Amino acid sequence: AEYVQSYLQSLSVMGIDITAERSLVSDDALTALDEKEVLKHGLLKPKGRFTTLPFEVANLSLRRAIEFYLDYGEDLINYYLALAEENCQDELLPDVPPSLQKLGVKSFKNNEDLAESFFTELRNGTSLYQMLQVLLGAIVVLVDTLMARREAELRGLTRASIVKDGPYFFLSFNLGKANVGEVRERVLRPLPALGAEALGLLARLSERLKSLGYAWSPSLFQRFKHGSKE
């Protein structure tokens, strides 16, 4: 479809009266093309690009994401797994680690219905579930800022996507746009050590949930649950 639109654009340029005597393509011919049903299906909206994120915003977002991961990542995952091991279903959480108490964690989920109340509780960090979601977001920002990967490429990541070669790490994934039908090219791209560490934390979560008999997903970015085993 993109090629059809480019072709039509070229014809439109040729229709401009570029000499004093004649144009290369007549107006009648261009009008006739406009009425062709087969070409109508190939028309696309004009190409557009997202505005580039200002450096200051990207830099601050990366900094905050790294800080949150380093300060709370391990403790959030370890505490969540500790609750899973005990099959804890209490809404008011027991034995919250000091670092997570400092974050504000008290209960598993934020049950506020009103938007204002919900986001107040989210900012206060009272919900373990929401803080785990923030952790996922922080890791997405961390990896995506350092590697500039597409959303679909991140969604398909598994434990096997983290490839270690000596002291270096690589990310193995299906390239977002290099495909033939449903078949996509599998590639390796350099992965900063901090990104590998963060993704490895999510991989450990998946593997431990599976060994405990909980519903789990091979995807590194999965939903957190609070409840009984399968």
Side-chain angles (χ1 to χ4, degrees), residues 149 153 171-175 178 184-189:
R149 302 278 30 112
E153 294 168 349
L171 195 64
S172 174
F173 59 93
N174 295 326
L175 204 56
R184 296 192 178 277
E185 180 184 355
R186 191 79 176 175
V187 296
L188 283 175
R189 293 290 185 269

Side-chain angles (χ1 to χ4, degrees), residues 24 29 36 56 59 76 78 82 86 91 112 119 124 140 150 156 160 178 180 183 201 208 218 220 230:
L24 299 177
K36 291 289 186 182
E56 294 78 8
N59 193 44
L76 282 168
N78 289 340
E86 298 296 327
E91 186 59 33
E112 294 290 343
F119 286 108
N124 289 338
V140 167
R150 294 182 176 87
V180 178
V183 180
L201 180 64
R208 185 57 181 148
L220 297 182
E230 289 183 307

Side-chain angles (χ1 to χ4, degrees), residues 5-211:
Q5 186 169 1
S6 297
Y7 174 68
L8 294 176
Q9 288 173 342
S10 297
L11 289 178
S12 297
V13 172
M14 294 170 69
I16 298 173
D17 190 4
I18 56 175
T19 70
E21 299 178 1
R22 62 185 177 83
S23 60
L24 299 177
V25 178
S26 70
D27 290 338
D28 290 340
L30 292 173
T31 301
L33 283 175
D34 288 340
E35 298 305 316
K36 291 289 186 182
E37 288 296 326
V38 67
L39 295 181
K40 287 181 180 179
H41 295 301
L43 294 179
L44 299 174
K45 294 180 179 179
K47 286 185 177 180
R49 298 287 182 185
F50 289 109
T51 302
T52 301
L53 192 66
F55 173 78
E56 294 78 8
V57 175
N59 193 44
L60 180 60
S61 298
L62 177 61
R63 174 185 170 183
R64 295 273 174 83
I66 292 174
E67 288 176 345
F68 189 88
Y69 163 69
L70 292 177
D71 290 344
Y72 304 112
E74 286 279 352
D75 288 341
L76 282 168
I77 295 299
N78 289 340
Y79 183 54
Y80 179 71
L81 288 175
L83 295 175
E85 289 173 3
E86 298 296 327
N87 198 22
C88 177
Q89 300 180 49
D90 299 336
E91 186 59 33
L92 193 61
L93 298 175
D95 304 321
V96 178
S99 65
L100 300 188
Q101 290 182 27
K102 181 180 178 181
L103 183 59
V105 172
K106 297 178 181 177
S107 60
F108 181 75
K109 203 163 186 179
N110 179 353
N111 293 314
E112 294 290 343
D113 294 326
L114 298 176
E116 183 177 349
S117 301
F118 177 88
F119 286 108
T120 296
E121 290 300 299
L122 177 62
R123 286 188 290 271
N124 289 338
T126 57
S127 161
L128 176 63
Y129 175 83
Q130 263 78 45
M131 291 304 98
L132 288 165
Q133 295 295 318
V134 171
L135 175 62
L136 286 186
I139 293 175
V140 167
V141 170
L142 190 162
V143 173
D144 212 22
T145 304
L146 296 177
M147 295 191 67
R149 302 278 30 112
R150 294 182 176 87
E151 178 191 356
E153 294 168 349
L154 294 180
R155 282 203 312 267
L157 296 181
T158 66
R159 178 67 183 87
S161 300
I162 310 167
V163 179
K164 194 173 189 299
D165 184 8
Y168 304 107
F169 291 94
F170 295 85
L171 195 64
S172 174
F173 59 93
N174 295 326
L175 204 56
K177 284 193 173 181
N179 65 292
V180 178
E182 296 299 319
V183 180
R184 296 192 178 277
E185 180 184 355
R186 191 79 176 175
V187 296
L188 283 175
R189 293 290 185 269
L191 175 64
L194 184 61
E197 177 186 301
L199 293 176
L201 180 64
L202 299 183
R204 179 166 69 84
L205 168 67
S206 295
E207 292 167 355
R208 185 57 181 148
L209 288 176
K210 180 182 180 181
S211 69

